[in-house]
Amino acid sequence: METFQNCPFSIKLWPPSQSTRLMLVERMTKNLSTPSIFSRKHGLLSKEEAEESAKQIEEVAFATANQHFEKEPDGDGSSAVQLYAKESSRLMLEVLKKGPQLKEDGSVQISDKVAGPCETFFDISGGRRAFIEQEEAEELLRPLTEPGNAYAKICFSNRSFGIDAARVAEPILVSLKGQLTDVDLSDFVAGRPEAEALEVMKIFSSALEGCVLKSLNLSNNAMGEKGVRAFEALLKSQNYLEELYLMNDGISKEAAQAVSELIPSTEKLRVLHFHNNMTGDEGAIAISEVIKHSPALEDFRCSSTRVDSEGGIALAEALGTFTHLKKLDLRDNMFGVDAGIALSKSLSRHVGLTEVYLSYLNLEDEGATALANALKESAPSLEVLEMAGNDITAEAAPSLAACIAAKQFLTKLNLAENELKDKGAIVIGKALEEGHGLLKEVDFSTNSIRRAGARLLAQAVVNKPEFKLLNINGNCISDEGIEEVREIFKKSPEMLGPLDENDEEGEENEEEEENDEDPKEEGDENGDELESKLKHLEVSEE
């Protein structure tokens, strides 16, 4: 009978698993954002600052403890665990004593003296786009093999891996499974034959399977369904993924269905980006299922994906199943009016929206009006609103104006390539006159605007303290009107975009010319009847 009595047996306590590290970050975030004796004295950290601080604290504490463990490789890791906990507590106390320290770029300085002892970001994407073979891979990836390295984020983008190079990377990635949090494999098989590219994808997928990643970027790889399924092992193992990027990947309806099948859990997903794919309606329906199971989603991009009305409605309804959206980009699809109306119902739930990109969706007046009305009642902190190229006319201008008037944090407004004409431009321009001190950019190019509309838009924005650019090119502004606008911007000509593509004749019919005629062109300086009537115009909120 065998006995284990005389066999050496030990339990390794170091390094901690990635899930353990994430759990510590969550615990510290909660502690840092909970009212305490320190917060009463120094101020309470916001949840965002607490989370950023907790992440930095954990990285520094881990690196410090890991260096300690490397000096005692035969130990069981208990002393490293104690140092890990001690450093985390010390740095957390330091943050609490300092109070809120959020910097302008969104980062947090947890200490004037503390800094991570090791680099955490490994990036080979610099330089020219090129193939990489075995020998070069061994040289480039050597830092990842050094004992005690603390690399948590890796970027292999812009280098095309062959099978031999992938075989070099494979054991290295396996050795880093316990510490990787962010992996960027965008554009890493460019120019390879399909069979080789798929094999490389499978090698990387297998090597990274089981990593507890927060961010995964597989963009620019022309994967299609075969490529998505080549990453099956990796995708299926991601239960804590917060960011997923699948842009310019040839994501067809079949590939989108594969994505929906292979991601096991999206409860923590905050960022999901599709762009320039061929997803179509059926693919959008598959992706809508991912959205429905992503209650924490904050940033969703599904632009240039060939989605029509049916898929647009499916996406819109899925976006109505949660409430935390901050940024939405659906540009360059074929949604149409019905999908626009469906989307308006969903967006009314997302009060935290700050950026909305809805250009080139065939919304027309009805869809644009529905969306404007919904956004007016929600999204108080909206900063960016883009609705270019939607066949919007002056009929929708009052609703747009009422929405815009309510958005005092607005920094960018893009209504280019519509049919607003003078009437619509003036109504919306009036809404911009009061407040809007953060406004930086306004684009009304290609809207059949003439002299009166151009003048009012210029006057509405020229004195905004943060303003940078007014684009009213591609309209029907007369030479006299152009000179007027330039005179308005004479103290800040850099804020006025080019005006070289204006067609004075325009394409107005006789009735519109009569209604929109600017009497100043006939020499009557005070005879602009349209402008006179609009002086006391108020924006209706109905």
Side-chain angles (χ1 to χ4, degrees):
M1 182 176 181
E2 289 189 65
T3 176
F4 293 96
Q5 191 171 6
N6 298 318
C7 296
F9 183 79
S10 64
I11 299 175
K12 289 286 186 181
L13 300 176
W14 190 265
S17 67
Q18 193 63 35
S19 59
T20 298
R21 296 179 64 183
L22 287 172
M23 182 179 66
L24 178 63
V25 170
E26 291 178 2
R27 189 175 300 169
M28 287 193 295
T29 299
K30 182 177 180 180
N31 288 338
L32 289 170
S33 58
T34 300
S36 66
I37 187 172
F38 296 100
S39 64
R40 288 196 295 271
K41 185 176 182 181
H42 303 289
L44 182 65
L45 274 68
S46 67
K47 185 176 179 181
E48 291 76 13
E49 185 170 351
E51 184 178 13
E52 183 63 24
S53 296
K55 289 176 181 177
Q56 291 191 30
I57 288 170
E58 193 281 331
E59 287 181 2
V60 172
F62 176 86
T64 302
N66 202 51
Q67 280 195 336
H68 172 81
F69 179 70
E70 291 296 331
K71 295 177 183 177
E72 299 178 356
D74 296 329
D76 63 0
S78 59
S79 61
V81 170
Q82 291 175 3
L83 181 58
Y84 181 53
K86 183 179 178 181
E87 280 295 288
S88 296
S89 297
R90 182 182 69 81
L91 294 172
M92 190 164 61
L93 182 61
E94 182 177 306
V95 169
L96 288 170
K97 286 181 177 179
K98 280 195 166 190
Q101 297 287 311
L102 195 64
K103 292 159 55 170
E104 288 185 2
D105 62 359
S107 63
V108 179
Q109 181 64 47
I110 65 173
S111 171
D112 294 331
K113 298 180 180 179
V114 176
C118 302
E119 291 289 332
T120 61
F121 183 37
F122 180 80
D123 185 1
I124 62 171
S125 65
R128 65 183 181 86
R129 194 166 180 246
F131 278 24
I132 176 174
E133 305 300 340
Q134 179 178 346
E135 187 174 337
E136 186 180 4
E138 291 172 349
E139 180 65 27
L140 279 174
L141 304 184
R142 182 169 288 117
L144 294 175
T145 67
E146 295 176 358
N149 79 77
Y151 291 115
K153 303 176 182 181
I154 59 172
C155 178
F156 287 176
S157 181
N158 202 41
R159 298 297 180 95
S160 180
F161 281 75
I163 291 178
D164 290 341
R167 294 295 183 195
V168 172
E170 184 177 19
I172 297 174
L173 294 175
V174 170
S175 71
L176 297 175
K177 278 188 179 182
Q179 64 191 62
L180 289 178
T181 61
D182 296 63
V183 171
D184 185 343
L185 298 179
S186 59
D187 192 25
F188 85 124
V189 289
R192 301 288 180 178
E194 179 181 294
E196 182 179 20
L198 290 173
E199 182 62 26
V200 169
M201 291 177 187
K202 290 177 181 178
I203 292 170
F204 274 80
S205 174
S206 177
L208 292 166
E209 180 183 6
C211 285
V212 185
L213 299 180
K214 292 187 296 183
S215 177
L216 177 62
N217 190 345
L218 300 177
S219 300
N220 302 314
N221 284 311
M223 295 192 299
E225 183 186 7
K226 291 179 182 179
V228 171
R229 295 196 181 279
F231 279 106
E232 178 175 355
L234 174 58
L235 290 172
K236 277 190 170 182
S237 68
Q238 297 310 300
N239 292 300
Y240 298 94
L241 201 62
E242 296 180 15
E243 301 178 10
L244 177 61
Y245 302 90
L246 293 168
M247 298 183 287
N248 193 31
D249 273 332
I251 302 293
S252 61
K253 63 181 182 181
E254 295 84 3
Q257 183 61 48
V259 171
S260 181
E261 291 173 10
L262 296 178
I263 300 178
S265 172
T266 55
E267 289 186 4
K268 291 186 176 292
L269 197 66
R270 295 184 300 101
V271 180
L272 178 59
H273 277 200
F274 284 77
H275 169 67
N276 196 29
N277 285 303
M278 47 187 183
T279 311
D281 276 351
E282 293 183 55
I285 292 170
I287 296 304
S288 70
E289 293 301 313
V290 178
I291 297 172
K292 289 176 184 178
H293 295 92
S294 305
L297 196 64
E298 298 177 357
D299 182 349
F300 179 58
R301 183 179 186 186
C302 191
S303 50
S304 302
T305 48
R306 306 182 188 181
V307 178
D308 214 317
S309 182
E310 184 183 1
I313 291 173
L315 289 174
E317 292 176 348
L319 291 170
T321 60
F322 60 100
T323 60
H324 303 296
L325 206 60
K326 295 180 180 178
K327 182 177 178 179
L328 177 64
D329 187 349
L330 298 172
R331 283 174 288 189
D332 190 23
N333 283 297
M334 299 169 283
F335 277 29
V337 173
D338 290 342
I341 293 173
L343 184 61
S344 70
K345 296 174 183 178
S346 295
L347 294 193
S348 63
R349 295 172 52 82
H350 295 280
V351 297
L353 275 169
T354 58
E355 298 180 37
V356 178
Y357 302 89
L358 303 175
S359 297
Y360 308 105
L361 292 177
N362 298 329
L363 296 174
E364 301 180 14
D365 285 338
E366 189 176 356
T369 297
L371 284 159
N373 290 338
L375 289 170
K376 180 172 77 75
E377 300 301 329
S378 62
S381 300
L382 191 66
E383 298 174 9
V384 177
L385 177 60
E386 290 198 8
M387 297 180 73
N390 277 302
D391 296 320
I392 303 172
T393 74
E395 183 179 336
S399 295
L400 286 168
C403 173
I404 291 163
K407 306 306 169 190
Q408 290 298 314
F409 292 96
L410 203 63
T411 63
K412 182 178 180 181
L413 175 64
N414 184 356
L415 292 170
E417 296 185 49
N418 285 300
E419 291 293 331
L420 288 164
K421 301 186 178 179
D422 268 5
K423 184 178 178 181
I426 290 171
V427 171
I428 295 171
K430 286 284 185 181
L432 291 171
E433 286 183 334
E434 297 297 324
H436 292 95
L438 301 177
L439 193 64
K440 294 181 179 179
E441 185 176 340
V442 170
D443 191 341
F444 270 77
S445 58
T446 317
N447 262 288
S448 300
I449 295 171
R450 304 177 74 191
R451 184 177 182 179
R455 183 170 61 245
L456 191 139
L457 284 171
Q459 291 169 340
V461 301
V462 67
N463 292 318
K464 305 293 184 190
E466 300 293 326
F467 199 74
K468 304 295 182 186
L469 180 65
L470 172 65
N471 184 2
I472 49 174
N473 208 9
N475 284 300
C476 310
I477 310 169
S478 65
D479 290 341
E480 293 83 356
I482 288 174
E483 288 307 311
E484 279 186 333
V485 170
R486 285 177 173 158
E487 179 64 20
I488 293 170
F489 280 92
K490 65 180 179 181
K491 293 182 179 179
S492 50
E494 73 284 355
M495 292 178 2
L496 181 62
L499 294 166
D500 57 325
E501 294 182 5
N502 275 284
D503 178 5
E504 184 175 355
E505 298 299 323
E507 297 179 357
E508 308 285 345
N509 61 37
E510 292 182 3
E511 181 180 354
E512 288 172 330
E513 283 185 359
E514 182 179 346
N515 290 336
D516 290 345
E517 184 179 5
D518 188 346
K520 289 186 180 181
E521 293 184 9
E522 299 176 5
D524 182 1
E525 188 66 29
N526 299 311
D528 192 337
E529 183 178 352
L530 175 62
E531 184 174 4
S532 175
K533 288 181 178 180
L534 290 168
K535 279 184 179 179
H536 303 291
L537 179 69
E538 294 183 0
V539 176
S540 171
E541 295 190 1
E542 294 299 314

